[in-house]
């Protein structure tokens, strides 16, 4: 049998994105615990590495108003993951917490509590949050420019890891920082389990964000990057870039895994799967969603445009009017030029373009074809695994578990059982980033 690299899977329970078709007759609730429990147990039956919860601290806004299509009422991430710790045994539990809007002592305590409750299965997706409106939820009302967001993220991660390094009740050492980024002092307040930020049992770190700053941050701190795949070649280049940045920080390529977002659409034949994919995309991108997407790229109000009509004839505005929904490091003018070309060639409307572009990547085909694509991506070092995003929650994942995973197992590319008592980091085969110098220099009380 051909030797394959081992594939990792995360199961993404969506919340704030357009991915999920909540109006589907088989869709469950985004609030009730039963949805989360069912989803986690399906993922665990598929021997997946971790369940992943995104977080939006505020309903999204566009043009200064609440976005009408947003998902409201999702319960708090760490609360849900803690409850899931009791109804699962092996799967990792990764929650998103913004380093821009949370304080390190609070993050450290919440995550370490989850880590104790789950016996080493906790993970923290560090996001910097790319919008200003979230700041309105907080007394300071603040928001930071990109560079400062990552400076703060580094300070918050350093501080949290320092706190994990301190024994409970240790009054000798304060973890403290008093500067423009952070202003706090704390001592020995977290539960003792898995102590030591470099330990294989301390909370695993994930980073979502693909800018150069984000990549450097991941190479310095993280076990996992949650990214976009785009294409085999682009993903390969992204992985190679990350491997270089890891080396610059004295870390081995395998110490960090790249887990791009991916949807899987299956059919009995390839044609059937393609048809299903189109159907799903059209359900995901309503006419209103299509206009709102194009508005983010154009950076201005386009509500007078017909979603079934052509793209705007004028150029996008200079500077970003939309607040961080669209990847800001991508050239919007290039993107628009590409869309113009495709729509002229194929006579596509605004909505047709949005259906094609406003989406995560998809592997589409028969279970055998999809399994082969996943293996090719991982063997070809375009990814180390995938963060699976489905359109149907909580049950959609079952199809992947039933139809694709057995093929991957048969080909020797995926685990057939969990190792008893493995921590999340042990499941992922990652290594905690070394503590940075600033971290170890503690302030004595
Ligand atoms: C795949 C992916 C998922 C993300 N998920 C979240 C999220 O759940 N909550 C959040 O506040 N930001 C999320 N972000 C946004 C990041 O926090 C970050 O602000 C944004 O990507 C800008 O960082 P970058 O310039 O390094 O890409 C996500 C970003 C990516 C790429």
């Amino acid at each position: 049998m051909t030797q394959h690299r081992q594939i990792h899977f995360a199961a993404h329970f969506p919340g704030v994105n357009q991915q999920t078709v909540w109006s589907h007759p088989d869709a469950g609730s985004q609030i009730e615990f039963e949805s989360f429990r069912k989803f986690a147990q399906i993922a665990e039956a598929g021997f997946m590495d971790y369940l992943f919860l995104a977080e939006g601290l505020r309903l999204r806004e566009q043009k200064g108003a609440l976005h009408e299509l947003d998902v409201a009422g999702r319960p708090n991430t760490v609360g849900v993951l803690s409850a899931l710790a009791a109804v699962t045994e092996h799967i990792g539990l990764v929650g998103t917490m913004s380093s821009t809007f949370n304080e390190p002592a609070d993050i450290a305590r919440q995550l370490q509590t989850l880590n104790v409750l789950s016996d080493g299965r906790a993970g923290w997706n560090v996001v910097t949050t790319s919008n200003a409106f979230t700041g309105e939820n907080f007394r300071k009302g603040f928001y930071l420019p990109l560079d400062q967001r990552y400076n703060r993220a580094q300070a918050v991660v350093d501080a949290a890891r320092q706190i994990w390094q301190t024994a409970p009740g240790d009054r000798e050492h304060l973890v403290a920082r008093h500067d423009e980024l952070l202003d706090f002092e704390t001592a020995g307040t977290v539960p003792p389990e898995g102590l030591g930020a470099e330990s294989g049992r301390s909370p695993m770190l994930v980073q979502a964000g693909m800018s150069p700053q984000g990549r450097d941050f991941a190479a310095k701190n993280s076990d996992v990057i949650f990214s976009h795949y785009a294409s085999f070649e682009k993903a390969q280049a992204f992985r190679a870039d990350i491997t270089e940045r890891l080396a610059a920080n004295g870390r081995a390529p395998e110490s960090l895994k790249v887990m791009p977002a991916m949807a899987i659409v299956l059919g009995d034949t390839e044609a059937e799967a393609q048809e299903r994919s189109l159907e799903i995309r059209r359900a995901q991108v309503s006419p209103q969603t299509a206009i709102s997407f194009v508005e983010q790229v154009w950076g201005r109000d386009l509500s007078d445009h017909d979603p079934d009509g052509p793209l705007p004839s004028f150029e996008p505005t200079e500077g970003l009017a939309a607040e961080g929904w669209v990847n800001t490091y991508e050239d919007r003018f290039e993107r628009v030029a590409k869309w113009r070309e495709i729509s002229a060639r194929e006579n596509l409307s605004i909505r047709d373009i949005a259906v094609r572009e406003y989406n995560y990547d998809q592997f589409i085909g028969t279970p055998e074809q999809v399994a082969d694509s996943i293996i090719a991506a991982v063997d070809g070092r375009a990814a180390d695994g995938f963060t699976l995003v489905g359109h149907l929650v909580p049950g959609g994942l079952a199809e992947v578990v039933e139809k694709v995973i057995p093929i991957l197992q048969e080909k020797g590319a995926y685990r057939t059982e969990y190792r008893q008592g493995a921590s999340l980091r042990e499941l992922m085969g990652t290594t905690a980033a070394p503590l940075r110098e600033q971290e170890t220099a503690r302030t004595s009380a």
Side-chain angles (χ1 to χ4, degrees), residues 278 281-282 285 290 294 307-309 311 342-343 346-358:
L278 193 64
R281 281 158 182 257
R282 287 196 83 80
V285 182
V294 176
D308 294 320
L311 290 169
I342 314 174
S343 64
E346 300 181 37
N347 193 24
L348 301 181
S349 66
I350 288 180
R351 184 158 175 229
D352 294 332
I353 289 279
V355 165
R356 279 199 190 190
E357 299 275 323
Y358 189 29

Side-chain angles (χ1 to χ4, degrees), residues 54-55 96 127-130 146 150 208-211 214 226 228 329:
E55 175 116 290
T96 299
V127 295
T128 55
T129 310
S130 48
L146 184 63
Y150 276 110
M210 297 177 70
S211 65
F226 178 34
H228 296 296
Y329 48 87

